[in-house]
Short mmCIF file of all heavy atoms in Angstrom, two decimals:
data_model
loop_
_atom_site.label_atom_id
_atom_site.label_comp_id
_atom_site.label_asym_id
_atom_site.label_seq_id
_atom_site.Cartn_x
_atom_site.Cartn_y
_atom_site.Cartn_z
N LEU A 355 18.12 -4.67 7.07
CA LEU A 355 19.02 -4.42 5.94
C LEU A 355 20.33 -5.18 6.11
O LEU A 355 20.85 -5.77 5.15
CB LEU A 355 19.29 -2.92 5.82
CG LEU A 355 18.28 -2.08 5.05
CD1 LEU A 355 18.60 -0.60 5.22
CD2 LEU A 355 18.26 -2.46 3.58
N GLY A 356 20.88 -5.13 7.33
CA GLY A 356 22.15 -5.83 7.56
C GLY A 356 22.04 -7.32 7.34
O GLY A 356 22.91 -7.95 6.70
N ARG A 357 20.98 -7.93 7.86
CA ARG A 357 20.81 -9.37 7.70
C ARG A 357 20.59 -9.75 6.23
O ARG A 357 21.00 -10.82 5.79
CB ARG A 357 19.63 -9.85 8.55
CG ARG A 357 19.90 -9.76 10.05
CD ARG A 357 18.66 -10.20 10.84
NE ARG A 357 18.93 -10.17 12.27
CZ ARG A 357 19.45 -11.18 12.95
NH1 ARG A 357 19.76 -12.30 12.33
NH2 ARG A 357 19.65 -11.09 14.25
N TRP A 358 19.91 -8.88 5.49
CA TRP A 358 19.62 -9.17 4.07
C TRP A 358 20.88 -9.07 3.21
O TRP A 358 21.14 -9.91 2.36
CB TRP A 358 18.55 -8.19 3.59
CG TRP A 358 18.14 -8.34 2.16
CD1 TRP A 358 17.82 -9.51 1.51
CD2 TRP A 358 17.98 -7.29 1.20
NE1 TRP A 358 17.47 -9.24 0.20
CE2 TRP A 358 17.55 -7.89 -0.01
CE3 TRP A 358 18.13 -5.92 1.25
CZ2 TRP A 358 17.30 -7.14 -1.15
CZ3 TRP A 358 17.86 -5.16 0.12
CH2 TRP A 358 17.46 -5.77 -1.08
N LEU A 359 21.68 -8.02 3.44
CA LEU A 359 22.84 -7.76 2.58
C LEU A 359 24.12 -8.46 3.03
O LEU A 359 25.09 -8.49 2.28
CB LEU A 359 23.09 -6.25 2.52
CG LEU A 359 21.98 -5.42 1.87
CD1 LEU A 359 22.30 -3.93 2.00
CD2 LEU A 359 21.80 -5.80 0.40
N GLU A 360 24.12 -9.00 4.23
CA GLU A 360 25.34 -9.60 4.78
C GLU A 360 25.95 -10.67 3.87
O GLU A 360 27.18 -10.66 3.62
CB GLU A 360 25.02 -10.19 6.16
CG GLU A 360 26.22 -10.72 6.91
CD GLU A 360 25.81 -11.29 8.26
OE1 GLU A 360 25.21 -12.40 8.27
OE2 GLU A 360 26.09 -10.64 9.28
N PRO A 361 25.18 -11.63 3.30
CA PRO A 361 25.81 -12.65 2.45
C PRO A 361 26.49 -12.09 1.21
O PRO A 361 27.40 -12.72 0.66
CB PRO A 361 24.62 -13.56 2.07
CG PRO A 361 23.59 -13.31 3.13
CD PRO A 361 23.75 -11.88 3.49
N ALA A 362 26.06 -10.92 0.75
CA ALA A 362 26.62 -10.37 -0.48
C ALA A 362 28.01 -9.78 -0.27
O ALA A 362 28.74 -9.54 -1.23
CB ALA A 362 25.69 -9.29 -1.04
N PHE A 363 28.39 -9.52 0.98
CA PHE A 363 29.68 -8.88 1.25
C PHE A 363 30.66 -9.83 1.94
O PHE A 363 31.76 -9.42 2.31
CB PHE A 363 29.47 -7.62 2.09
CG PHE A 363 28.75 -6.54 1.33
CD1 PHE A 363 27.37 -6.48 1.32
CD2 PHE A 363 29.47 -5.59 0.61
CE1 PHE A 363 26.70 -5.49 0.61
CE2 PHE A 363 28.82 -4.60 -0.10
CZ PHE A 363 27.42 -4.55 -0.11
N GLY A 364 30.28 -11.07 2.14
CA GLY A 364 31.20 -12.11 2.59
C GLY A 364 31.78 -11.93 3.97
O GLY A 364 32.85 -12.47 4.25
N GLU A 365 31.13 -11.20 4.82
CA GLU A 365 31.65 -11.03 6.18
C GLU A 365 30.49 -10.73 7.12
O GLU A 365 29.41 -10.28 6.70
CB GLU A 365 32.66 -9.89 6.22
CG GLU A 365 32.15 -8.60 5.61
CD GLU A 365 33.25 -7.57 5.42
OE1 GLU A 365 34.43 -7.91 5.56
OE2 GLU A 365 32.90 -6.42 5.10
N LEU A 366 30.71 -10.99 8.40
CA LEU A 366 29.68 -10.76 9.39
C LEU A 366 29.71 -9.30 9.84
O LEU A 366 30.76 -8.80 10.25
CB LEU A 366 29.89 -11.69 10.59
CG LEU A 366 29.82 -13.19 10.29
CD1 LEU A 366 30.09 -13.99 11.57
CD2 LEU A 366 28.46 -13.57 9.71
N PHE A 367 28.58 -8.65 9.77
CA PHE A 367 28.50 -7.26 10.22
C PHE A 367 27.05 -6.93 10.56
O PHE A 367 26.13 -7.67 10.22
CB PHE A 367 29.03 -6.30 9.15
CG PHE A 367 28.23 -6.28 7.88
CD1 PHE A 367 27.11 -5.47 7.75
CD2 PHE A 367 28.61 -7.08 6.80
CE1 PHE A 367 26.38 -5.45 6.57
CE2 PHE A 367 27.87 -7.07 5.63
CZ PHE A 367 26.76 -6.25 5.51
N GLU A 368 26.88 -5.83 11.21
CA GLU A 368 25.56 -5.29 11.53
C GLU A 368 25.49 -3.86 11.04
O GLU A 368 26.50 -3.14 11.05
CB GLU A 368 25.29 -5.32 13.03
CG GLU A 368 25.25 -6.68 13.67
CD GLU A 368 25.03 -6.57 15.17
OE1 GLU A 368 23.90 -6.23 15.58
OE2 GLU A 368 26.00 -6.79 15.92
N ILE A 369 24.32 -3.45 10.65
CA ILE A 369 24.07 -2.04 10.34
C ILE A 369 23.35 -1.44 11.54
O ILE A 369 22.29 -1.92 11.94
CB ILE A 369 23.25 -1.88 9.05
CG1 ILE A 369 23.98 -2.49 7.86
CG2 ILE A 369 22.95 -0.41 8.79
CD1 ILE A 369 23.21 -2.43 6.56
N VAL A 370 23.93 -0.40 12.11
CA VAL A 370 23.37 0.20 13.32
C VAL A 370 23.23 1.71 13.11
O VAL A 370 24.01 2.32 12.37
CB VAL A 370 24.27 -0.07 14.56
CG1 VAL A 370 24.29 -1.55 14.87
CG2 VAL A 370 25.68 0.45 14.33
N PRO A 371 22.23 2.33 13.74
CA PRO A 371 22.07 3.79 13.62
C PRO A 371 23.04 4.53 14.51
O PRO A 371 23.40 4.07 15.60
CB PRO A 371 20.62 4.01 14.06
CG PRO A 371 20.33 2.88 14.99
CD PRO A 371 21.13 1.71 14.48
N ASP A 372 23.49 5.69 14.05
CA ASP A 372 24.35 6.56 14.84
C ASP A 372 23.47 7.66 15.44
O ASP A 372 23.04 8.59 14.75
CB ASP A 372 25.42 7.17 13.94
CG ASP A 372 26.38 8.07 14.71
OD1 ASP A 372 26.27 8.11 15.95
OD2 ASP A 372 27.22 8.73 14.07
N LEU A 373 23.20 7.54 16.74
CA LEU A 373 22.30 8.47 17.43
C LEU A 373 23.03 9.58 18.16
O LEU A 373 22.39 10.38 18.84
CB LEU A 373 21.42 7.69 18.43
CG LEU A 373 20.60 6.53 17.84
CD1 LEU A 373 19.87 5.80 18.95
CD2 LEU A 373 19.62 7.04 16.80
N ASN A 374 24.33 9.65 17.99
CA ASN A 374 25.11 10.63 18.75
C ASN A 374 24.83 12.07 18.32
O ASN A 374 25.00 13.00 19.11
CB ASN A 374 26.61 10.34 18.61
CG ASN A 374 27.01 9.08 19.34
OD1 ASN A 374 26.45 8.74 20.38
ND2 ASN A 374 27.96 8.34 18.78
N ASP A 375 24.43 12.25 17.07
CA ASP A 375 24.20 13.61 16.57
C ASP A 375 22.73 14.03 16.63
O ASP A 375 22.37 15.09 16.11
CB ASP A 375 24.70 13.72 15.12
CG ASP A 375 26.21 13.59 15.03
OD1 ASP A 375 26.88 13.92 16.03
OD2 ASP A 375 26.71 13.15 13.98
N VAL A 376 21.88 13.20 17.23
CA VAL A 376 20.46 13.54 17.33
C VAL A 376 20.28 14.51 18.50
O VAL A 376 20.46 14.14 19.67
CB VAL A 376 19.59 12.28 17.54
CG1 VAL A 376 18.13 12.68 17.72
CG2 VAL A 376 19.75 11.34 16.35
N GLU A 377 19.96 15.75 18.19
CA GLU A 377 19.88 16.78 19.22
C GLU A 377 18.81 16.47 20.26
O GLU A 377 18.98 16.74 21.45
CB GLU A 377 19.60 18.13 18.57
CG GLU A 377 19.58 19.30 19.54
CD GLU A 377 19.35 20.62 18.85
OE1 GLU A 377 19.32 20.64 17.61
OE2 GLU A 377 19.20 21.63 19.56
N ALA A 378 17.70 15.88 19.82
CA ALA A 378 16.60 15.60 20.74
C ALA A 378 16.99 14.59 21.81
O ALA A 378 16.38 14.54 22.88
CB ALA A 378 15.38 15.11 19.97
N LEU A 379 18.02 13.77 21.53
CA LEU A 379 18.45 12.74 22.48
C LEU A 379 19.71 13.14 23.22
O LEU A 379 20.33 12.30 23.88
CB LEU A 379 18.69 11.42 21.74
CG LEU A 379 17.49 10.84 20.97
CD1 LEU A 379 17.88 9.58 20.23
CD2 LEU A 379 16.32 10.57 21.90
N SER A 380 20.10 14.40 23.13
CA SER A 380 21.34 14.84 23.77
C SER A 380 21.28 14.69 25.29
O SER A 380 22.28 14.33 25.93
CB SER A 380 21.63 16.30 23.40
OG SER A 380 20.57 17.14 23.82
N GLU A 381 20.11 14.92 25.88
CA GLU A 381 19.99 14.78 27.33
C GLU A 381 20.18 13.33 27.75
O GLU A 381 20.86 13.05 28.75
CB GLU A 381 18.64 15.30 27.79
CG GLU A 381 18.45 15.28 29.30
CD GLU A 381 17.14 15.92 29.72
OE1 GLU A 381 16.65 16.83 29.02
OE2 GLU A 381 16.60 15.49 30.77
N ASP A 382 19.60 12.41 27.01
CA ASP A 382 19.81 10.99 27.31
C ASP A 382 21.28 10.61 27.15
O ASP A 382 21.82 9.84 27.96
CB ASP A 382 18.95 10.13 26.38
CG ASP A 382 17.46 10.35 26.60
OD1 ASP A 382 17.11 10.95 27.63
OD2 ASP A 382 16.68 9.94 25.74
N ARG A 383 21.91 11.14 26.11
CA ARG A 383 23.32 10.81 25.86
C ARG A 383 24.22 11.38 26.96
O ARG A 383 25.16 10.71 27.41
CB ARG A 383 23.74 11.37 24.50
CG ARG A 383 25.11 10.92 24.05
CD ARG A 383 25.30 11.18 22.56
NE ARG A 383 25.05 12.56 22.20
CZ ARG A 383 23.96 12.99 21.53
NH1 ARG A 383 23.04 12.12 21.18
NH2 ARG A 383 23.81 14.26 21.23
N ASN A 384 23.94 12.59 27.42
CA ASN A 384 24.73 13.17 28.50
C ASN A 384 24.60 12.36 29.78
O ASN A 384 25.58 12.15 30.51
CB ASN A 384 24.29 14.61 28.76
CG ASN A 384 24.64 15.54 27.61
OD1 ASN A 384 25.55 15.25 26.83
ND2 ASN A 384 23.93 16.65 27.50
N GLY A 385 23.39 11.86 30.06
CA GLY A 385 23.20 11.02 31.24
C GLY A 385 23.98 9.73 31.14
O GLY A 385 24.54 9.24 32.14
N LEU A 386 24.01 9.14 29.92
CA LEU A 386 24.77 7.90 29.73
C LEU A 386 26.26 8.14 29.96
O LEU A 386 26.94 7.34 30.62
CB LEU A 386 24.51 7.35 28.34
CG LEU A 386 25.33 6.12 27.93
CD1 LEU A 386 25.01 4.94 28.83
CD2 LEU A 386 25.07 5.77 26.46
N TRP A 387 26.77 9.23 29.42
CA TRP A 387 28.19 9.53 29.59
C TRP A 387 28.53 9.71 31.07
O TRP A 387 29.59 9.27 31.54
CB TRP A 387 28.56 10.78 28.80
CG TRP A 387 28.79 10.53 27.34
CD1 TRP A 387 27.86 10.12 26.44
CD2 TRP A 387 30.02 10.65 26.64
NE1 TRP A 387 28.42 9.98 25.20
CE2 TRP A 387 29.76 10.31 25.29
CE3 TRP A 387 31.32 11.01 27.00
CZ2 TRP A 387 30.74 10.31 24.31
CZ3 TRP A 387 32.30 11.03 26.02
CH2 TRP A 387 32.02 10.68 24.71
N GLN A 388 27.67 10.36 31.80
CA GLN A 388 27.93 10.58 33.22
C GLN A 388 27.92 9.27 33.99
O GLN A 388 28.77 9.04 34.86
CB GLN A 388 26.90 11.55 33.80
CG GLN A 388 27.03 12.98 33.30
CD GLN A 388 25.95 13.88 33.85
OE1 GLN A 388 25.11 13.45 34.66
NE2 GLN A 388 25.94 15.14 33.42
N ARG A 389 26.97 8.39 33.69
CA ARG A 389 26.91 7.12 34.39
C ARG A 389 28.11 6.24 34.07
O ARG A 389 28.70 5.61 34.96
CB ARG A 389 25.61 6.38 34.04
CG ARG A 389 24.35 7.05 34.57
CD ARG A 389 23.16 6.13 34.45
NE ARG A 389 22.89 5.73 33.08
CZ ARG A 389 22.12 6.42 32.24
NH1 ARG A 389 21.56 7.56 32.65
NH2 ARG A 389 21.92 6.00 31.02
N VAL A 390 28.47 6.18 32.78
CA VAL A 390 29.62 5.35 32.40
C VAL A 390 30.91 5.96 32.94
O VAL A 390 31.79 5.25 33.44
CB VAL A 390 29.69 5.21 30.86
CG1 VAL A 390 30.97 4.49 30.45
CG2 VAL A 390 28.48 4.44 30.35
N GLY A 391 31.04 7.29 32.88
CA GLY A 391 32.25 7.94 33.38
C GLY A 391 32.42 7.74 34.87
O GLY A 391 33.55 7.69 35.38
N GLY A 392 31.34 7.63 35.62
CA GLY A 392 31.43 7.44 37.06
C GLY A 392 31.57 6.01 37.49
O GLY A 392 31.65 5.73 38.70
N ALA A 393 31.60 5.08 36.55
CA ALA A 393 31.74 3.66 36.88
C ALA A 393 33.23 3.35 37.04
O ALA A 393 33.91 3.01 36.06
CB ALA A 393 31.09 2.79 35.81
N ASP A 394 33.74 3.44 38.26
CA ASP A 394 35.17 3.23 38.50
C ASP A 394 35.62 1.79 38.30
O ASP A 394 36.82 1.53 38.14
CB ASP A 394 35.53 3.68 39.93
CG ASP A 394 35.27 5.16 40.15
OD1 ASP A 394 35.32 5.90 39.15
OD2 ASP A 394 34.99 5.55 41.30
N PHE A 395 34.69 0.86 38.33
CA PHE A 395 35.06 -0.56 38.18
C PHE A 395 35.30 -0.94 36.72
O PHE A 395 35.68 -2.07 36.42
CB PHE A 395 33.98 -1.45 38.78
CG PHE A 395 32.62 -1.23 38.18
CD1 PHE A 395 32.20 -1.95 37.07
CD2 PHE A 395 31.74 -0.28 38.72
CE1 PHE A 395 30.95 -1.73 36.52
CE2 PHE A 395 30.50 -0.07 38.18
CZ PHE A 395 30.09 -0.79 37.08
N LEU A 396 35.06 -0.01 35.77
CA LEU A 396 35.29 -0.27 34.36
C LEU A 396 36.61 0.34 33.91
O LEU A 396 37.00 1.43 34.37
CB LEU A 396 34.16 0.31 33.50
CG LEU A 396 32.76 -0.28 33.70
CD1 LEU A 396 31.74 0.47 32.87
CD2 LEU A 396 32.73 -1.76 33.33
N SER A 397 37.28 -0.34 33.02
CA SER A 397 38.50 0.22 32.43
C SER A 397 38.13 1.25 31.37
O SER A 397 36.97 1.32 30.93
CB SER A 397 39.34 -0.90 31.81
OG SER A 397 38.66 -1.46 30.70
N ASP A 398 39.14 2.01 30.93
CA ASP A 398 38.89 3.02 29.90
C ASP A 398 38.41 2.38 28.60
O ASP A 398 37.53 2.90 27.91
CB ASP A 398 40.14 3.85 29.65
CG ASP A 398 40.49 4.76 30.83
OD1 ASP A 398 39.57 4.99 31.66
OD2 ASP A 398 41.63 5.23 30.92
N GLU A 399 38.98 1.22 28.27
CA GLU A 399 38.59 0.55 27.03
C GLU A 399 37.15 0.04 27.12
O GLU A 399 36.39 0.10 26.15
CB GLU A 399 39.55 -0.62 26.75
CG GLU A 399 40.96 -0.19 26.39
CD GLU A 399 40.99 0.67 25.14
OE1 GLU A 399 40.15 0.44 24.24
OE2 GLU A 399 41.84 1.56 25.05
N GLU A 400 36.76 -0.46 28.28
CA GLU A 400 35.39 -0.94 28.46
C GLU A 400 34.40 0.22 28.38
O GLU A 400 33.30 0.08 27.83
CB GLU A 400 35.27 -1.67 29.80
CG GLU A 400 36.00 -3.01 29.83
CD GLU A 400 36.01 -3.63 31.22
OE1 GLU A 400 35.95 -2.86 32.22
OE2 GLU A 400 36.07 -4.87 31.31
N LYS A 401 34.79 1.35 28.94
CA LYS A 401 33.92 2.54 28.87
C LYS A 401 33.75 3.00 27.42
O LYS A 401 32.64 3.35 26.99
CB LYS A 401 34.50 3.67 29.71
CG LYS A 401 34.46 3.40 31.21
CD LYS A 401 35.08 4.55 31.98
CE LYS A 401 35.05 4.29 33.48
NZ LYS A 401 35.65 5.40 34.26
N ARG A 402 34.84 2.99 26.67
CA ARG A 402 34.77 3.40 25.27
C ARG A 402 33.86 2.45 24.48
O ARG A 402 33.09 2.88 23.62
CB ARG A 402 36.16 3.43 24.65
CG ARG A 402 37.09 4.51 25.24
CD ARG A 402 38.45 4.46 24.57
NE ARG A 402 38.34 4.84 23.16
CZ ARG A 402 38.38 6.10 22.73
NH1 ARG A 402 38.51 7.10 23.59
NH2 ARG A 402 38.28 6.36 21.45
N GLU A 403 33.95 1.17 24.79
CA GLU A 403 33.12 0.20 24.08
C GLU A 403 31.65 0.39 24.40
O GLU A 403 30.79 0.29 23.52
CB GLU A 403 33.57 -1.22 24.43
CG GLU A 403 32.85 -2.30 23.64
CD GLU A 403 33.40 -3.68 23.92
OE1 GLU A 403 34.43 -3.79 24.62
OE2 GLU A 403 32.81 -4.66 23.42
N LEU A 404 31.35 0.65 25.68
CA LEU A 404 29.96 0.88 26.07
C LEU A 404 29.39 2.13 25.42
O LEU A 404 28.19 2.19 25.11
CB LEU A 404 29.86 1.00 27.60
CG LEU A 404 29.98 -0.29 28.40
CD1 LEU A 404 30.00 0.01 29.89
CD2 LEU A 404 28.83 -1.24 28.07
N LEU A 405 30.23 3.12 25.17
CA LEU A 405 29.78 4.37 24.55
C LEU A 405 29.79 4.30 23.03
O LEU A 405 29.46 5.28 22.37
CB LEU A 405 30.66 5.53 25.03
CG LEU A 405 30.56 5.87 26.52
CD1 LEU A 405 31.57 6.92 26.91
CD2 LEU A 405 29.14 6.33 26.87
#
Side-chain angles (χ1 to χ4, degrees):
L355 276 171
R357 292 178 178 272
W358 180 47
L359 296 174
E360 186 181 73
F363 292 88
E365 52 191 10
L366 299 178
F367 64 86
E368 297 178 72
I369 300 178
V370 295
D372 182 7
L373 304 176
N374 290 326
D375 293 333
V376 177
E377 184 178 354
L379 301 177
S380 59
E381 184 175 330
D382 296 346
R383 188 164 55 253
N384 292 337
L386 175 63
W387 279 65
Q388 291 177 3
R389 292 193 300 272
V390 173
D394 298 333
F395 57 90
L396 296 175
S397 66
D398 291 342
E399 292 300 327
E400 290 173 332
K401 291 179 180 180
R402 294 180 66 86
E403 185 174 354
L404 285 174
L405 294 174

